[in-house]
Amino acid sequence: MKTWKSNLEETKQRYINWWNHKGIILNMWEHFQEGVQPHAEIMPPAPAKDLSQKWFDPQWRAEYLDWYVAHSSLKADILPVANTQLGPGSLAAILGGVFEGGEDTIWIHPNPDFTDEIVFNPEHPNWILHKELLKACKAKANGHYFVGMPDLMEGLDVLAALKGTDRVLLDTVMQPEILEQQMQQINDIYFKVFDELYDIIREGDEMAFCYFSSWAPGKMSKLQSDISTMISQDDYRRFVQPFIREQCQKIDYTLYHLDGVGAMHHLPALLEIEELNAIQWTPGVGEPQGGSPKWYDLYKKILAGGKSVMACWVTLDELKPLLDHIGADGVHLEMDFHNEKEVEQAMRIVEEYTGSSTAVNTNEHQQDADLATTGQERICIREEQHQQEDKLKPLYEAIVAGKLEPAVEITRQAIAEGIAPPMIINNYMIKAMGEVGQRFQDGKAFVPQLLMAGRAMKGALELLKPLLAGSASTTIGKIVIGTVKGDLHDIGKNLVASMLEGCGFEVINIGIDVTCDKFVEAVKENHADILCMSALLTTTMTYMKEVIQALEEAGIRNQVKVMIGGAPVSQGVADEIGADGYSDNANTAVAVAKELIGNKKIE
């Protein structure tokens, strides 16, 4: 392989050491071009005509990536890799998910025709696109750089992309056996797809992976289960761990992408997978990045468990303190470089640790580093001593336990006995949802339990709505909720909607990618008391201010309270854009909404 990278063989050897938990890698996930001497005189293609050509035209992308790699810095262990990504989790698109090209990424929408049948169609256009893209890039590379393996993803994340996250989470409770079967089906298809793509991109037995621009002397993959932040440790061991283990057994080199503080409680289950080579840590939006001292103990725990570590977006000033605390054996650093001068500075720092004993007492701070001791607690009903028997107490219990049919039947009996609907709602339904919300906040319940409780609550509430019709006290108030334009995330927004509805609000959920006009129209049509906006991306968060301005221009800003939420959102953001309230999770959203509406109660 006549690569453009002069020190590739040295980098390969460092990777081999790292996969075996030795040595250090100094790399960068995304390349930079500033001040770089080109490796070849390659002209860029004409600008893409549209987003479709930018992402889904194999020849155009091959020409662009050829230019991109030729003009990228390849110093230190930065690898020459063509990034052939077709969205995060493109296996879902191969199985029927719908592609949408955005400015900076590719979205994969759920398959509208998904029927719980997972079928691999070798003639599906999205599968053909994968192969055509890799073949075009491989031909253009001509041995000068690696063609990366796309980020296929696996397991629950793929299934969530096919049919929606809420449905997958409910399946952990409602049809766990079918869910297990689907996980095995996805794994079986994954191996078939992976092997065929590997045969296209490999250089001998070697390959590179797009995600983190990493390399291995054999088959390698980045594994993950981002949806696992919402499930218990028991569910993780049932629906995730066995299938990750099978991948680790069949693929030579594996790196697990541990994403977000909510996923940390699954670390023990990951360390139990003997064949797993390494764990990469992504703190998530709103947290300090990988070089922060906040994560030193996490890295020590991973290293003590016999796995190598990948720390991402480490800055130059964080590098030496990080290595001083965790050592340099089995450490892969994805640096936040901006120019080659910074790369050279980092190389000099790393040289201080090369060849010297950098062992660190990994048992140090073990008590503080035990990050995942909270096991799942079953949703069980709290029995209060000396409490009088109450014929509607089973309704409270049914909602807390997420049992739809008993909740509906008890409500039907209560109606027949003439019990006032407001009493049923206030004294039992809302209190039950409050209890589930508190358990969720305390880490004693997880998203599936929250969704099941909301489902039971809604089913029972449907029986009461006709009896409340025409009453001004039917609900606490009306709320319009949606995710702002450019953002397709809906998990957190849907949880907030469920909690608000379960606690007595009438909620009009207007979906994702919502424009200013649609927000304004929904507020007007429904005479909303509160407008809730969600954003998961920092790039879309700024649109919230535009919505508030649109409310002002429409002359209705004083008629509606505005509450915002989402991972990048904070109280400071709320104050800056003129929102009336801010919530950081589904449970606190209820309290904020009640405060905004003046604590009005259903009577």
Side-chain angles (χ1 to χ4, degrees), residues 92 95 109-111 114-118 153-184 186 224-232 235-236 238-240 243 446-452 455 490-491 494-495:
L95 294 175
H109 299 283
N111 180 358
F114 187 77
T115 58
D116 271 343
E117 291 295 322
I118 298 175
M153 293 206 313
E154 54 277 315
L156 290 180
D157 286 356
V158 167
L159 192 58
L162 283 173
K163 66 176 181 178
T165 302
D166 290 0
R167 288 179 62 189
V168 172
L169 294 172
L170 288 171
D171 283 349
T172 64
V173 179
M174 300 180 69
Q175 50 177 19
E177 292 80 13
I178 291 177
L179 185 56
E180 286 177 308
Q181 293 172 11
Q182 291 175 333
M183 291 302 94
Q184 189 60 59
I186 289 173
Q224 71 177 67
S225 182
D226 285 358
I227 195 176
S228 68
T229 59
M230 305 177 196
I231 63 176
S232 68
D235 282 347
Y236 187 91
R238 180 173 183 180
F239 302 114
V240 179
F243 308 102
F446 298 87
V447 175
Q449 288 77 30
L450 189 60
L451 291 173
M452 290 293 289
R455 176 173 170 267
D490 65 352
I491 300 170
N494 288 346
L495 286 174

Side-chain angles (χ1 to χ4, degrees), residues 508-546:
I508 300 93
N509 190 338
I510 57 176
I512 57 177
D513 194 24
V514 181
T515 63
C516 290
D517 291 345
K518 190 173 179 181
F519 274 121
V520 170
E521 181 183 356
V523 169
K524 285 182 176 179
E525 287 185 356
N526 295 282
H527 303 286
D529 299 294
I530 299 175
L531 171 62
C532 291
M533 291 186 286
S534 173
L536 189 67
L537 306 174
T538 53
T539 53
T540 58
M541 177 180 68
T542 55
Y543 193 73
M544 292 176 168
K545 185 175 183 179
E546 294 184 36

Side-chain angles (χ1 to χ4, degrees), residues 190-209:
Y190 174 91
F191 293 125
K192 176 179 176 58
V193 167
F194 182 94
D195 286 348
E196 192 164 343
L197 297 184
Y198 169 73
D199 282 338
I200 296 173
I201 66 172
R202 66 191 178 95
E203 297 286 343
D205 291 332
E206 303 171 15
M207 67 165 285
F209 204 91

Side-chain angles (χ1 to χ4, degrees), residues 299-546:
Y299 296 145
K300 290 179 185 178
K301 188 174 181 68
I302 293 171
L303 292 167
K307 314 299 181 190
S308 295
V309 161
M310 180 184 285
C312 290
W313 298 108
V314 179
T315 59
L316 199 58
D317 62 311
E318 294 171 329
L319 179 56
K320 184 173 175 54
L322 174 64
L323 296 178
D324 285 340
H325 280 84
I326 71 172
D329 276 336
V331 176
H332 188 308
L333 300 160
E334 292 277 318
M335 298 291 294
D336 184 17
F337 292 132
H338 302 90
N339 53 62
E340 291 192 334
K341 181 179 179 182
E342 291 181 351
V343 180
E344 292 164 359
Q345 288 179 277
M347 290 171 67
R348 288 194 291 271
I349 294 173
V350 167
E351 284 175 4
E352 299 176 20
Y353 298 85
T354 302
S356 62
S357 175
T358 56
V360 174
N361 180 6
T362 52
N363 291 321
E364 183 184 356
H365 309 305
Q366 187 68 24
Q367 184 174 359
D368 291 338
D370 193 1
L371 303 164
T373 57
T374 304
Q376 178 186 21
E377 295 188 11
R378 293 175 179 267
I379 298 266
C380 56
I381 308 307
R382 181 184 299 166
E383 295 289 342
E384 299 291 343
Q385 292 183 352
H386 311 302
Q387 185 173 2
Q388 295 181 351
E389 287 298 320
D390 186 333
K391 63 176 61 179
L392 281 181
K393 184 180 177 185
L395 174 60
Y396 171 94
E397 295 173 345
I399 293 173
V400 172
K403 296 179 178 179
L404 172 62
E405 289 78 10
V408 169
E409 183 56 34
I410 295 166
T411 302
R412 184 176 287 113
Q413 293 175 5
I415 292 172
E417 294 176 12
I419 300 177
M423 176 183 174
I424 299 172
I425 295 171
N426 281 329
N427 292 356
Y428 300 95
M429 290 183 170
I430 292 178
K431 287 183 179 179
M433 287 302 295
E435 171 66 14
V436 176
Q438 188 60 51
R439 294 182 186 187
F440 177 73
Q441 186 170 323
D442 293 343
K444 298 178 180 180
F446 298 87
V447 175
Q449 288 77 30
L450 189 60
L451 291 173
M452 290 293 289
R455 176 173 170 267
M457 162 78 176
K458 290 177 185 178
L461 190 60
E462 285 301 311
L463 297 177
L464 297 174
K465 282 183 177 179
L467 305 178
L468 293 166
S471 170
S473 59
T474 300
T475 63
I476 296 177
K478 286 187 177 182
I479 294 179
V480 167
I481 187 170
T483 305
V484 297
K485 179 183 176 182
D487 203 320
L488 305 183
H489 296 90
D490 65 352
I491 300 170
K493 182 260 299 178
N494 288 346
L495 286 174
V496 170
S498 295
M499 285 297 293
L500 290 168
E501 189 168 20
C503 291
F505 288 93
E506 180 180 347
V507 179
I508 300 93
N509 190 338
I510 57 176
I512 57 177
D513 194 24
V514 181
T515 63
C516 290
D517 291 345
K518 190 173 179 181
F519 274 121
V520 170
E521 181 183 356
V523 169
K524 285 182 176 179
E525 287 185 356
N526 295 282
H527 303 286
D529 299 294
I530 299 175
L531 171 62
C532 291
M533 291 186 286
S534 173
L536 189 67
L537 306 174
T538 53
T539 53
T540 58
M541 177 180 68
T542 55
Y543 193 73
M544 292 176 168
K545 185 175 183 179
E546 294 184 36

